[in-house]
Structure formats: C-alpha cells, structure tokens
Coordinates of all heavy atoms in Angstrom, one line a residue:
M17 N 43.4 -21.7 17.9 CA 42.5 -20.6 17.6 C 41.8 -20.3 18.9 O 41.5 -21.1 19.7 CB 41.4 -21.0 16.6 CG 41.9 -20.9 15.1 SD 40.5 -20.9 14.0 CE 39.8 -22.5 14.1
S18 N 41.4 -19.0 19.0 CA 40.7 -18.5 20.2 C 39.2 -19.0 20.0 O 38.8 -19.4 18.9 CB 40.8 -17.0 20.3 OG 40.0 -16.4 19.2
D19 N 38.5 -18.9 21.1 CA 37.1 -19.3 21.1 C 36.2 -18.4 20.1 O 35.4 -18.9 19.3 CB 36.3 -19.1 22.4 CG 36.8 -20.2 23.4 OD1 37.5 -21.1 23.0 OD2 36.7 -20.0 24.7
I20 N 36.6 -17.2 20.0 CA 35.9 -16.2 19.0 C 36.2 -16.7 17.5 O 35.4 -16.7 16.7 CB 36.2 -14.8 19.2 CG1 35.7 -14.2 20.6 CG2 35.8 -13.9 18.1 CD1 34.1 -14.2 20.6
Q21 N 37.5 -17.0 17.4 CA 37.9 -17.3 16.0 C 37.2 -18.7 15.7 O 36.8 -18.8 14.5 CB 39.4 -17.6 15.9 CG 40.2 -16.2 16.0 CD 41.7 -16.4 16.2 OE1 42.1 -17.3 16.8 NE2 42.4 -15.5 15.6
K22 N 37.1 -19.6 16.6 CA 36.5 -20.8 16.3 C 34.9 -20.6 16.1 O 34.3 -21.3 15.1 CB 36.5 -21.8 17.6 CG 37.8 -22.4 17.8 CD 37.8 -23.2 19.1 CE 39.3 -23.5 19.5 NZ 39.3 -24.2 20.8
A23 N 34.3 -19.7 16.7 CA 32.9 -19.3 16.5 C 32.8 -18.7 15.1 O 31.8 -19.0 14.3 CB 32.4 -18.3 17.6
M24 N 33.8 -17.9 14.6 CA 33.7 -17.3 13.3 C 33.8 -18.3 12.3 O 33.1 -18.3 11.3 CB 34.7 -16.2 13.1 CG 34.5 -15.1 14.0 SD 36.0 -13.8 14.2 CE 36.4 -13.5 12.5
A25 N 34.7 -19.3 12.5 CA 34.9 -20.3 11.5 C 33.7 -21.2 11.4 O 33.3 -21.7 10.4 CB 36.2 -21.1 11.9
L26 N 33.0 -21.5 12.6 CA 31.8 -22.2 12.6 C 30.7 -21.5 11.8 O 29.9 -22.2 11.1 CB 31.4 -22.5 14.1 CG 30.2 -23.4 14.3 CD1 30.5 -24.8 13.6 CD2 30.0 -23.6 15.7
L27 N 30.6 -20.3 11.9 CA 29.5 -19.5 11.2 C 29.8 -19.7 9.8 O 28.9 -20.0 9.0 CB 29.6 -18.0 11.6 CG 28.8 -17.7 12.9 CD1 29.0 -16.2 13.2 CD2 27.4 -18.0 12.7
I28 N 31.1 -19.5 9.3 CA 31.3 -19.5 7.9 C 31.1 -21.1 7.4 O 30.5 -21.2 6.3 CB 32.9 -19.2 7.7 CG1 33.1 -17.7 8.0 CG2 33.3 -19.6 6.2 CD1 34.5 -17.3 8.0
S29 N 31.6 -22.0 8.1 CA 31.4 -23.5 7.6 C 30.0 -23.8 7.6 O 29.6 -24.6 6.7 CB 32.3 -24.4 8.4 OG 31.8 -24.5 9.8
T30 N 29.1 -23.3 8.5 CA 27.7 -23.7 8.5 C 27.0 -22.9 7.4 O 26.3 -23.7 6.7 CB 27.1 -23.2 9.9 OG1 27.7 -23.9 11.0 CG2 25.6 -23.5 9.9
F31 N 27.2 -21.7 7.1 CA 26.7 -21.0 6.0 C 27.1 -21.9 4.7 O 26.3 -22.1 3.9 CB 27.2 -19.7 5.8 CG 26.7 -18.9 4.7 CD1 25.4 -18.2 4.8 CD2 27.3 -18.8 3.5 CE1 24.9 -17.6 3.7 CE2 26.8 -18.0 2.4 CZ 25.5 -17.4 2.6
D32 N 28.3 -22.2 4.5 CA 28.9 -22.9 3.3 C 28.3 -24.3 3.2 O 28.1 -24.7 2.1 CB 30.4 -23.0 3.3 CG 31.1 -21.7 3.1 OD1 30.5 -20.7 2.7 OD2 32.4 -21.7 3.4
K33 N 27.9 -24.9 4.3 CA 27.2 -26.2 4.2 C 25.9 -26.2 3.5 O 25.6 -27.1 2.9 CB 27.2 -26.7 5.7 CG 26.5 -28.0 6.0 CD 26.3 -28.3 7.4 CE 25.5 -29.6 7.7 NZ 25.5 -29.7 9.2
Y34 N 25.2 -25.1 3.7 CA 23.9 -25.0 3.2 C 23.8 -24.2 1.8 O 23.0 -24.4 1.0 CB 22.9 -24.4 4.2 CG 22.7 -25.3 5.3 CD1 23.5 -25.2 6.5 CD2 21.8 -26.4 5.3 CE1 23.3 -26.0 7.5 CE2 21.6 -27.2 6.3 CZ 22.4 -27.1 7.5 OH 22.2 -28.0 8.5
S35 N 24.8 -23.2 1.7 CA 24.6 -22.5 0.5 C 25.1 -23.2 -0.8 O 25.9 -24.1 -0.7 CB 25.6 -21.2 0.6 OG 26.9 -21.5 0.7
G36 N 24.6 -22.8 -2.0 CA 25.1 -23.4 -3.2 C 24.4 -24.8 -3.5 O 24.8 -25.2 -4.6
K37 N 23.7 -25.3 -2.6 CA 23.0 -26.6 -3.1 C 22.1 -26.4 -4.3 O 21.9 -27.3 -5.1 CB 22.2 -27.1 -1.9 CG 23.0 -27.6 -0.7 CD 22.2 -28.1 0.3 CE 22.9 -28.5 1.5 NZ 22.1 -29.1 2.6
E38 N 21.6 -25.1 -4.4 CA 20.7 -24.8 -5.6 C 21.3 -23.8 -6.5 O 20.6 -23.2 -7.3 CB 19.3 -24.3 -5.1 CG 18.6 -25.3 -4.2 CD 17.3 -24.7 -3.7 OE1 16.9 -23.6 -4.0 OE2 16.6 -25.4 -3.1
G39 N 22.5 -23.6 -6.5 CA 23.1 -22.7 -7.4 C 24.3 -21.9 -6.8 O 25.3 -22.5 -6.6
D40 N 24.0 -20.6 -6.6 CA 25.0 -19.7 -6.1 C 25.6 -20.1 -4.7 O 24.9 -20.2 -3.7 CB 24.5 -18.3 -6.0 CG 25.5 -17.2 -5.7 OD1 26.7 -17.6 -5.5 OD2 25.1 -16.0 -5.7
K41 N 26.9 -20.4 -4.7 CA 27.5 -20.9 -3.4 C 27.6 -19.8 -2.4 O 27.9 -19.9 -1.2 CB 29.0 -21.4 -3.8 CG 29.7 -21.9 -2.7 CD 29.2 -23.3 -2.1 CE 30.1 -23.8 -1.1 NZ 29.3 -24.7 -0.1
L42 N 27.6 -18.5 -2.8 CA 27.7 -17.3 -2.0 C 26.4 -16.9 -1.2 O 26.4 -15.9 -0.5 CB 28.2 -16.2 -2.8 CG 29.6 -16.5 -3.3 CD1 30.1 -15.2 -4.1 CD2 30.7 -16.8 -2.3
T43 N 25.2 -17.5 -1.6 CA 24.0 -17.1 -1.1 C 23.2 -18.3 -0.7 O 23.4 -19.5 -1.1 CB 23.1 -16.3 -2.0 OG1 22.8 -17.0 -3.2 CG2 23.9 -14.9 -2.5
L44 N 22.2 -18.0 0.1 CA 21.1 -19.1 0.5 C 19.8 -18.8 -0.2 O 19.3 -17.7 -0.2 CB 20.8 -19.1 2.0 CG 22.0 -19.4 2.9 CD1 21.7 -19.1 4.3 CD2 22.4 -21.0 2.8
S45 N 19.3 -19.8 -0.9 CA 18.0 -19.6 -1.5 C 16.9 -19.8 -0.3 O 17.4 -20.2 0.8 CB 17.6 -20.8 -2.5 OG 17.6 -22.0 -1.9
K46 N 15.6 -19.7 -0.5 CA 14.7 -19.8 0.5 C 14.7 -21.3 1.0 O 14.6 -21.5 2.2 CB 13.3 -19.4 0.0 CG 12.2 -19.4 1.2 CD 10.8 -19.0 0.6 CE 10.8 -17.5 0.2 NZ 9.5 -17.1 -0.1
E47 N 14.8 -22.3 0.1 CA 14.8 -23.6 0.5 C 16.0 -23.9 1.3 O 16.0 -24.7 2.2 CB 14.8 -24.5 -0.7 CG 14.4 -26.0 -0.4 CD 13.1 -26.2 0.3 OE1 12.2 -25.5 0.1 OE2 13.1 -27.2 1.2
E48 N 17.2 -23.4 1.0 CA 18.4 -23.6 1.7 C 18.4 -23.0 3.0 O 18.9 -23.6 4.0 CB 19.7 -23.1 0.9 CG 20.0 -23.9 -0.4 CD 20.9 -23.1 -1.3 OE1 21.1 -21.8 -1.2 OE2 21.6 -23.8 -2.1
L49 N 17.8 -21.8 3.1 CA 17.6 -21.1 4.4 C 16.7 -22.0 5.3 O 17.0 -22.2 6.5 CB 17.1 -19.8 4.3 CG 16.8 -19.0 5.6 CD1 18.1 -18.7 6.3 CD2 16.1 -17.8 5.4
K50 N 15.6 -22.5 4.7 CA 14.7 -23.3 5.5 C 15.4 -24.5 6.1 O 15.3 -24.9 7.3 CB 13.5 -23.8 4.6 CG 12.5 -24.7 5.3 CD 11.5 -25.2 4.3 CE 10.7 -26.3 5.0 NZ 10.0 -27.1 4.0
D51 N 16.3 -25.2 5.2 CA 17.0 -26.4 5.8 C 17.9 -26.0 6.8 O 18.0 -26.7 7.8 CB 17.9 -27.0 4.6 CG 17.0 -27.7 3.6 OD1 15.8 -28.0 3.8 OD2 17.5 -28.0 2.4
L52 N 18.7 -24.9 6.7 CA 19.5 -24.4 7.7 C 18.7 -24.0 9.0 O 19.2 -24.5 10.1 CB 20.3 -23.1 7.3 CG 21.3 -22.6 8.2 CD1 22.4 -21.9 7.3 CD2 20.8 -21.6 9.2
L53 N 17.7 -23.5 9.0 CA 16.9 -23.1 10.2 C 16.5 -24.3 10.8 O 16.4 -24.4 12.1 CB 15.7 -22.2 9.7 CG 16.1 -20.8 9.3 CD1 14.8 -20.1 8.7 CD2 16.8 -20.0 10.3
Q54 N 15.9 -25.3 10.0 CA 15.4 -26.5 10.6 C 16.5 -27.4 11.3 O 16.3 -27.8 12.4 CB 14.9 -27.5 9.5 CG 13.5 -27.0 9.0 CD 13.0 -27.9 7.8 OE1 13.9 -28.3 7.0 NE2 11.7 -28.1 7.7
N55 N 17.7 -27.4 10.6 CA 18.7 -28.3 11.1 C 19.6 -27.7 12.3 O 20.1 -28.3 13.1 CB 19.6 -28.7 10.0 CG 18.8 -29.6 9.1 OD1 18.0 -30.4 9.4 ND2 19.2 -29.5 7.8
E56 N 19.8 -26.4 12.1 CA 20.7 -25.7 13.1 C 19.9 -25.0 14.2 O 20.6 -24.8 15.3 CB 21.5 -24.7 12.3 CG 22.3 -25.3 11.1 CD 23.3 -26.4 11.6 OE1 23.8 -26.3 12.7 OE2 23.6 -27.2 10.7
F57 N 18.7 -24.6 14.0 CA 18.1 -23.8 15.1 C 16.8 -24.6 15.6 O 16.3 -24.2 16.7 CB 17.5 -22.4 14.6 CG 18.7 -21.5 14.3 CD1 19.2 -21.4 13.0 CD2 19.2 -20.8 15.3 CE1 20.2 -20.4 12.8 CE2 20.2 -19.9 15.1 CZ 20.7 -19.7 13.9
G58 N 16.4 -25.7 15.0 CA 15.2 -26.4 15.4 C 14.0 -25.6 15.6 O 13.8 -24.7 14.8
E59 N 13.4 -25.8 16.8 CA 12.1 -25.0 17.1 C 12.4 -23.7 17.7 O 11.5 -23.0 18.2 CB 11.3 -25.8 18.0 CG 10.8 -27.2 17.4 CD 10.0 -27.0 16.2 OE1 9.0 -26.2 16.2 OE2 10.2 -27.7 15.2
M60 N 13.7 -23.3 17.8 CA 14.1 -21.9 18.5 C 13.5 -20.8 17.8 O 13.0 -19.9 18.3 CB 15.6 -21.8 18.5 CG 16.1 -20.5 19.1 SD 17.8 -20.6 19.0 CE 18.2 -18.9 19.9
L61 N 13.5 -20.9 16.4 CA 12.9 -19.8 15.6 C 11.4 -19.9 15.3 O 10.6 -19.0 15.4 CB 13.6 -19.6 14.3 CG 15.0 -19.0 14.5 CD1 15.6 -19.0 13.1 CD2 14.9 -17.7 15.0
C62 N 11.0 -21.1 14.8 CA 9.7 -21.3 14.4 C 9.5 -22.8 14.0 O 10.5 -23.5 14.0 CB 9.4 -20.5 13.1 SG 10.3 -21.0 11.7
K63 N 8.2 -23.2 13.9 CA 8.0 -24.6 13.5 C 8.5 -24.8 12.0 O 8.3 -23.9 11.2 CB 6.6 -24.9 13.6 CG 6.1 -24.9 15.1 CD 4.8 -25.6 15.1 CE 4.2 -25.5 16.5 NZ 5.0 -26.2 17.5
S64 N 9.3 -25.8 11.8 CA 9.9 -25.8 10.4 C 8.9 -26.1 9.3 O 9.2 -25.8 8.1 CB 10.9 -27.0 10.5 OG 10.2 -28.2 10.9
N65 N 7.7 -26.5 9.7 CA 6.7 -26.8 8.7 C 5.7 -25.5 8.5 O 4.7 -25.5 7.7 CB 5.8 -27.9 9.0 CG 5.0 -27.8 10.3 OD1 5.3 -26.9 11.0 ND2 4.3 -28.9 10.5
D66 N 6.1 -24.5 9.2 CA 5.3 -23.2 9.1 C 5.8 -22.2 8.0 O 6.7 -21.5 8.2 CB 5.4 -22.4 10.5 CG 4.5 -21.2 10.6 OD1 4.0 -20.8 9.5 OD2 4.3 -20.6 11.7
K67 N 5.3 -22.5 6.7 CA 5.7 -21.8 5.5 C 5.6 -20.3 5.7 O 6.5 -19.6 5.3 CB 4.9 -22.2 4.4 CG 5.3 -21.6 3.1 CD 4.6 -22.1 1.9 CE 4.9 -21.5 0.6 NZ 5.8 -20.3 0.5
A68 N 4.6 -19.8 6.5 CA 4.4 -18.3 6.6 C 5.6 -17.8 7.4 O 6.1 -16.7 7.1 CB 3.1 -18.0 7.3
A69 N 6.0 -18.5 8.5 CA 7.1 -18.1 9.3 C 8.4 -18.0 8.6 O 9.1 -17.1 8.7 CB 7.1 -19.0 10.5
I70 N 8.6 -19.2 7.8 CA 9.9 -19.2 7.0 C 9.9 -18.0 6.0 O 10.8 -17.3 5.8 CB 10.0 -20.6 6.3 CG1 10.0 -21.8 7.2 CG2 11.1 -20.6 5.2 CD1 11.3 -21.8 8.0
D71 N 8.7 -17.8 5.4 CA 8.7 -16.7 4.3 C 8.9 -15.3 5.0 O 9.7 -14.5 4.5 CB 7.2 -16.6 3.7 CG 7.0 -17.7 2.7 OD1 8.0 -18.4 2.3 OD2 5.9 -17.9 2.4
R72 N 8.5 -15.1 6.3 CA 8.6 -13.9 7.0 C 10.0 -13.7 7.3 O 10.7 -12.7 7.2 CB 7.8 -13.9 8.2 CG 7.2 -12.6 8.6 CD 6.2 -12.6 9.7 NE 6.2 -13.8 10.7 CZ 5.4 -14.8 10.7 NH1 4.4 -14.9 9.7 NH2 5.4 -15.7 11.4
I73 N 10.7 -14.8 7.8 CA 12.1 -14.8 8.2 C 13.0 -14.5 6.9 O 13.9 -13.6 6.9 CB 12.5 -16.0 8.9 CG1 12.0 -16.2 10.2 CG2 14.1 -16.0 9.0 CD1 12.2 -17.5 10.9
F74 N 12.8 -15.1 5.8 CA 13.5 -14.9 4.6 C 13.3 -13.5 4.1 O 14.2 -12.8 3.8 CB 13.0 -16.0 3.5 CG 13.7 -15.8 2.2 CD1 14.9 -16.5 2.1 CD2 13.3 -15.1 1.2 CE1 15.7 -16.4 0.9 CE2 14.1 -15.0 0.0 CZ 15.2 -15.7 -0.1
N75 N 12.1 -12.9 4.1 CA 11.9 -11.6 3.6 C 12.5 -10.6 4.5 O 13.0 -9.5 4.1 CB 10.4 -11.3 3.4 CG 9.9 -12.1 2.3 OD1 10.4 -12.4 1.3 ND2 8.5 -12.5 2.4
D76 N 12.5 -10.8 5.7 CA 13.2 -9.9 6.7 C 14.7 -9.9 6.5 O 15.4 -8.8 6.6 CB 12.8 -10.2 8.1 CG 11.4 -9.9 8.6 OD1 10.8 -9.1 7.9 OD2 11.0 -10.4 9.6
L77 N 15.2 -11.1 6.3 CA 16.6 -11.2 6.0 C 17.1 -10.6 4.7 O 18.2 -10.0 4.6 CB 17.2 -12.6 6.2 CG 17.1 -13.4 7.5 CD1 17.5 -14.7 7.4 CD2 18.0 -12.5 8.5
D78 N 16.3 -10.8 3.7 CA 16.8 -10.5 2.3 C 16.5 -9.0 2.2 O 15.7 -8.5 1.4 CB 15.9 -11.2 1.3 CG 16.3 -11.0 -0.2 OD1 17.5 -10.5 -0.4 OD2 15.5 -11.3 -1.1
R79 N 17.4 -8.2 2.8 CA 17.2 -6.8 2.8 C 17.4 -6.1 1.4 O 16.8 -5.0 1.1 CB 18.2 -6.1 3.8 CG 17.8 -6.5 5.2 CD 18.5 -5.7 6.2 NE 18.1 -6.1 7.5 CZ 18.0 -5.2 8.5 NH1 18.3 -3.9 8.3 NH2 17.5 -5.5 9.7
D80 N 18.3 -6.6 0.6 CA 18.5 -6.1 -0.7 C 17.5 -6.6 -1.8 O 17.6 -6.3 -2.9 CB 20.0 -6.3 -1.1 CG 20.2 -7.7 -1.3 OD1 19.5 -8.6 -1.1 OD2 21.5 -8.0 -1.6
K81 N 16.6 -7.5 -1.3 CA 15.6 -8.0 -2.3 C 16.1 -8.8 -3.5 O 15.6 -8.7 -4.5 CB 14.6 -7.0 -2.7 CG 13.9 -6.2 -1.5 CD 13.3 -7.1 -0.5 CE 12.6 -6.5 0.7 NZ 12.5 -7.4 1.8
S82 N 17.2 -9.5 -3.2 CA 17.9 -10.2 -4.3 C 17.2 -11.6 -4.4 O 17.6 -12.4 -5.3 CB 19.3 -10.4 -4.0 OG 19.5 -11.1 -2.8
N83 N 16.3 -11.9 -3.6 CA 15.6 -13.3 -3.5 C 16.7 -14.3 -3.1 O 16.5 -15.5 -3.5 CB 15.0 -13.7 -4.8 CG 13.9 -14.6 -4.7 OD1 13.2 -14.6 -3.6 ND2 13.6 -15.5 -5.6
S84 N 17.5 -13.9 -2.3 CA 18.5 -14.9 -1.6 C 19.1 -14.1 -0.4 O 19.0 -12.9 -0.3 CB 19.7 -15.1 -2.6 OG 20.4 -14.0 -2.9
V85 N 19.7 -14.9 0.5 CA 20.2 -14.4 1.7 C 21.8 -14.5 1.6 O 22.4 -15.6 1.4 CB 19.8 -15.2 2.9 CG1 20.5 -14.8 4.2 CG2 18.2 -14.9 3.1
D86 N 22.5 -13.4 1.6 CA 24.0 -13.4 1.5 C 24.6 -13.7 3.0 O 23.8 -13.7 3.9 CB 24.6 -12.4 0.9 CG 24.4 -11.0 1.5 OD1 24.2 -11.0 2.9 OD2 24.4 -10.0 0.8
F87 N 25.9 -13.9 3.0 CA 26.5 -14.1 4.3 C 26.3 -13.0 5.3 O 26.0 -13.3 6.5 CB 28.0 -14.5 4.1 CG 28.7 -14.9 5.4 CD1 28.5 -16.2 5.8 CD2 29.6 -13.9 6.0 CE1 29.2 -16.6 7.0 CE2 30.2 -14.4 7.2 CZ 30.0 -15.6 7.7
G88 N 26.3 -11.9 4.8 CA 26.1 -10.7 5.8 C 24.7 -10.6 6.4 O 24.6 -10.4 7.6
E89 N 23.7 -11.0 5.6 CA 22.4 -11.0 6.1 C 22.2 -12.2 7.0 O 21.6 -12.1 8.1 CB 21.5 -11.2 4.8 CG 21.4 -9.9 4.0 CD 20.8 -10.1 2.7 OE1 20.8 -11.2 2.1 OE2 20.3 -9.1 2.1
F90 N 22.8 -13.3 6.7 CA 22.9 -14.5 7.6 C 23.5 -14.1 9.0 O 22.9 -14.5 10.0 CB 23.5 -15.7 6.9 CG 23.9 -16.8 7.9 CD1 22.9 -17.7 8.4 CD2 25.2 -17.0 8.2 CE1 23.3 -18.7 9.3 CE2 25.6 -18.0 9.1 CZ 24.6 -18.9 9.6
V91 N 24.6 -13.5 9.0 CA 25.3 -13.2 10.2 C 24.6 -12.2 11.1 O 24.5 -12.4 12.3 CB 26.7 -12.6 9.8 CG1 27.4 -12.0 11.2 CG2 27.6 -13.7 9.3
R92 N 23.9 -11.2 10.4 CA 23.0 -10.3 11.1 C 22.0 -11.1 11.9 O 21.6 -10.8 13.1 CB 22.4 -9.3 10.3 CG 23.4 -8.1 9.9 CD 22.7 -6.9 9.2 NE 22.5 -7.2 7.8 CZ 23.4 -7.2 6.9 NH1 24.7 -6.8 7.2 NH2 23.2 -7.4 5.6
M93 N 21.3 -12.1 11.4 CA 20.3 -12.8 12.0 C 20.9 -13.6 13.1 O 20.4 -13.5 14.3 CB 19.8 -13.9 11.0 CG 18.8 -14.9 11.7 SD 18.3 -16.3 10.8 CE 19.8 -17.2 10.8
V94 N 22.1 -14.2 13.0 CA 22.8 -14.9 14.1 C 23.2 -14.0 15.3 O 22.9 -14.3 16.4 CB 24.0 -15.7 13.6 CG1 24.7 -16.3 14.8 CG2 23.5 -16.8 12.6
C95 N 23.6 -12.8 14.9 CA 24.0 -11.8 16.0 C 22.7 -11.4 16.7 O 22.7 -11.2 17.9 CB 24.6 -10.5 15.3 SG 26.3 -10.9 14.8
C96 N 21.6 -11.1 16.0 CA 20.4 -10.6 16.7 C 19.8 -11.8 17.6 O 19.4 -11.4 18.6 CB 19.3 -10.3 15.6 SG 19.6 -8.7 14.7
L97 N 19.8 -13.0 17.1 CA 19.4 -14.1 17.9 C 20.3 -14.3 19.2 O 19.9 -14.6 20.3 CB 19.4 -15.4 17.2 CG 18.3 -15.5 16.1 CD1 18.5 -16.8 15.2 CD2 16.9 -15.7 16.8
T98 N 21.7 -14.1 19.0 CA 22.5 -14.2 20.0 C 22.2 -13.2 21.1 O 22.3 -13.4 22.4 CB 24.0 -14.2 19.6 OG1 24.2 -15.2 18.6 CG2 25.1 -14.3 20.7
E99 N 22.1 -12.0 20.8 CA 21.7 -10.8 21.5 C 20.5 -11.1 22.3 O 20.4 -10.9 23.6 CB 21.7 -9.5 20.8 CG 21.5 -8.3 21.8 CD 21.5 -7.1 20.9 OE1 21.4 -7.0 19.6 OE2 21.5 -5.9 21.6
M100 N 19.5 -11.6 21.6 CA 18.1 -11.9 22.3 C 18.3 -13.0 23.4 O 17.8 -12.9 24.4 CB 17.1 -12.3 21.3 CG 16.7 -11.2 20.5 SD 15.5 -11.6 19.1 CE 14.8 -13.1 19.4
C101 N 19.1 -14.1 23.1 CA 19.4 -15.1 24.0 C 20.1 -14.6 25.3 O 19.8 -14.9 26.4 CB 20.1 -16.2 23.4 SG 19.2 -17.2 22.2
H102 N 21.1 -13.7 24.9 CA 21.9 -13.2 26.1 C 21.0 -12.4 27.0 O 21.0 -12.4 28.2 CB 23.1 -12.2 25.5 CG 23.9 -11.6 26.6 ND1 23.7 -10.3 27.0 CD2 24.9 -12.2 27.3 CE1 24.5 -10.0 27.9 NE2 25.3 -11.2 28.2
E103 N 20.2 -11.6 26.4 CA 19.2 -10.7 27.2 C 18.3 -11.6 28.0 O 18.0 -11.3 29.2 CB 18.4 -9.8 26.3 CG 19.2 -8.6 25.7 CD 18.5 -7.8 24.7 OE1 17.4 -8.0 24.4 OE2 19.2 -7.0 24.1
Y104 N 17.8 -12.6 27.4 CA 16.9 -13.6 28.1 C 17.7 -14.2 29.3 O 17.1 -14.2 30.5 CB 16.4 -14.6 27.2 CG 15.7 -15.7 27.8 CD1 14.3 -15.5 28.1 CD2 16.2 -16.9 28.1 CE1 13.6 -16.5 28.8 CE2 15.5 -17.9 28.8 CZ 14.2 -17.7 29.1 OH 13.3 -18.7 29.7
F105 N 18.8 -14.7 29.2 CA 19.5 -15.4 30.2 C 20.0 -14.3 31.3 O 20.1 -14.7 32.4 CB 20.6 -16.1 29.7 CG 20.1 -17.4 28.9 CD1 20.4 -17.6 27.6 CD2 19.4 -18.4 29.6 CE1 20.0 -18.7 26.9 CE2 18.9 -19.5 29.0 CZ 19.3 -19.6 27.6
V106 N 20.4 -13.1 30.9 CA 20.7 -12.2 32.0 C 19.6 -11.7 32.7 O 19.7 -11.6 34.0 CB 21.4 -10.8 31.1 CG1 21.4 -9.7 32.1 CG2 22.7 -11.2 30.7
S107 N 18.3 -11.7 32.1 CA 17.1 -11.3 32.9 C 16.7 -12.4 33.9 O 16.0 -12.2 34.8 CB 16.0 -11.0 31.9 OG 15.5 -12.2 31.3
K108 N 17.2 -13.7 33.6 CA 16.9 -14.8 34.5 C 17.7 -15.0 35.7 O 17.5 -15.8 36.5 CB 16.9 -16.1 33.6 CG 15.9 -16.3 32.7 CD 14.5 -16.4 33.3 CE 13.5 -16.5 32.2 NZ 12.2 -16.6 32.7
K109 N 18.8 -14.1 35.7 CA 19.8 -14.3 36.9 C 19.1 -13.6 38.1 O 18.4 -12.7 38.1 CB 21.1 -13.6 36.6 CG 21.9 -14.3 35.6 CD 23.2 -13.7 35.4 CE 24.1 -14.6 34.3 NZ 25.3 -14.0 34.1

C-alpha cells in the first residue's frame, strides 16, 4: 500500500477502535469521542479532563445534531487538524 492508503486505513481502524463501545458501531458517542481524543491526540486538542472543551468539540463535530459523531464528521476534524499543523510547521521554516 502507498503511504496515503496506509493513512486512510489507519483513520478507519482508529475510528473503528473507539466506535460502537456504547452501541452503534458506525458512530462515536460523546464518551467514545472523549476516549479517542485523550488516547490519540493527548494534550494537542485540550485537557482531557476539561468537560467544557470536550462538549464544545463534540457539538462542533456533530453537524447533523444526531448526538453522535459519524465517520465523515471525524475525518473532517482530522483534516482540519492536519491542515492547521501543516500551516504551523510551514510558518516555522
């Protein structure tokens, strides 16, 4: 597999690792999202014990107001974070 294909597979497997622990395997509940953010992003996004920050991230991601985050909403978050990191490192050159 190419590097991009590996990255895509990693996004899928990471989402699947956390989704469905509380029911629907195709979405993340707020608690599942919190676990994913804590374990996969660490302090990059927010302090893991900051309930208000977790709530804000969840509400921003849950665009269809289904009270869950689907794969598309998750991928948009990862893409936005990746773009922000890229811009940060480009500006440091």
Side-chain angles (χ1 to χ4, degrees):
M17 281 198 291
S18 71
D19 289 344
I20 293 293
Q21 290 170 328
K22 289 176 191 172
M24 291 167 60
L26 184 59
L27 282 174
I28 293 166
S29 66
T30 301
F31 182 87
D32 289 347
K33 178 179 170 182
Y34 293 93
S35 66
K37 291 180 180 178
E38 296 182 3
D40 188 354
K41 184 72 176 150
L42 300 177
T43 63
L44 296 166
S45 67
K46 189 180 290 188
E47 191 63 31
E48 291 167 337
L49 179 67
K50 178 184 171 198
D51 290 345
L52 185 151
L53 294 175
Q54 286 175 326
N55 295 324
E56 304 297 332
F57 290 97
E59 299 297 314
M60 180 179 181
L61 286 180
C62 63
K63 296 197 183 297
S64 56
N65 60 356
D66 185 348
K67 184 178 176 347
I70 297 292
D71 287 344
R72 215 171 25 256
I73 291 169
F74 184 84
N75 291 330
D76 287 346
L77 290 176
D78 184 21
R79 294 192 176 216
D80 62 2
K81 303 304 176 204
S82 62
N83 207 29
S84 61
V85 173
D86 64 27
F87 185 73
E89 292 164 331
F90 165 72
V91 169
R92 279 189 284 284
M93 176 192 69
V94 174
C95 288
C96 289
L97 288 171
T98 303
E99 185 176 11
M100 289 171 25
C101 288
H102 179 259
E103 290 172 2
Y104 173 80
F105 289 116
V106 166
S107 72
K108 293 292 183 183
K109 288 184 179 180

